[in-house]
Amino acid sequence: MGATVGFGRRLGGVAIDWIIAYALALFFSGLDALGSSTLGWTVWLIWFALTALPTAIFGMTPGMVALGMRVARVDMAPLVGLPRALLRTLLLGIVVPAIIRDDDGRGWHDRATRTIVIRSR
């Protein structure tokens, strides 16, 4: 298994994914949505889909690809899988489980789903 990824790189990957989700939300909603109270939920839902689906299938989000990392199961199974990716993304989206980390740098969202973020290059 590759080396685990530090918090800074992981935060950078999530930030890239949020920026993409924000841009997509504005693209579909238009610039008038900037003052809308629903824009935040639109961004969150797009981010959720942009994170959960690629993680389930490829083990990577666009932000992870950009920064050279991926999600892997600790049991070395080849795919993260949809149920695990959905739970991991939901916990990551709540934020607090991702901030509280163990000695290996794994957040509660990774521990709950038995995943780890490793370097892909």
Side-chain angles (χ1 to χ4, degrees):
M1 189 176 289
T4 58
V5 176
F7 184 74
R9 184 181 283 193
R10 292 171 65 135
L11 183 61
V14 170
I16 290 170
D17 294 334
W18 275 104
I19 290 168
I20 293 170
Y22 200 93
L24 287 171
L26 287 177
F27 177 78
F28 289 115
S29 301
L31 291 177
D32 294 338
L34 284 173
S36 169
S37 61
T38 62
L39 181 63
W41 284 109
T42 303
V43 171
W44 195 89
L45 289 171
I46 291 172
W47 170 83
F48 189 91
L50 185 71
T51 300
L53 297 176
T55 298
I57 299 166
F58 306 111
M60 295 182 262
T61 66
M64 289 179 171
V65 171
L67 297 180
M69 56 187 161
R70 69 180 181 90
V71 178
R73 288 174 48 162
V74 295
D75 64 4
M76 301 300 292
L79 294 176
V80 173
L82 190 58
R84 197 176 301 250
L86 288 171
L87 177 59
R88 184 182 185 280
T89 303
L90 179 64
L91 292 172
L92 180 61
I94 296 172
V95 178
V96 173
I99 293 174
I100 302 171
R101 303 176 317 154
D102 66 9
D103 294 336
D104 294 330
R106 292 171 59 210
W108 282 4
H109 64 301
D110 281 326
R111 293 191 55 80
T113 57
R114 300 190 37 80
T115 58
I116 188 167
V117 179
I118 58 173
R119 295 174 191 223
S120 62
R121 55 182 150 114

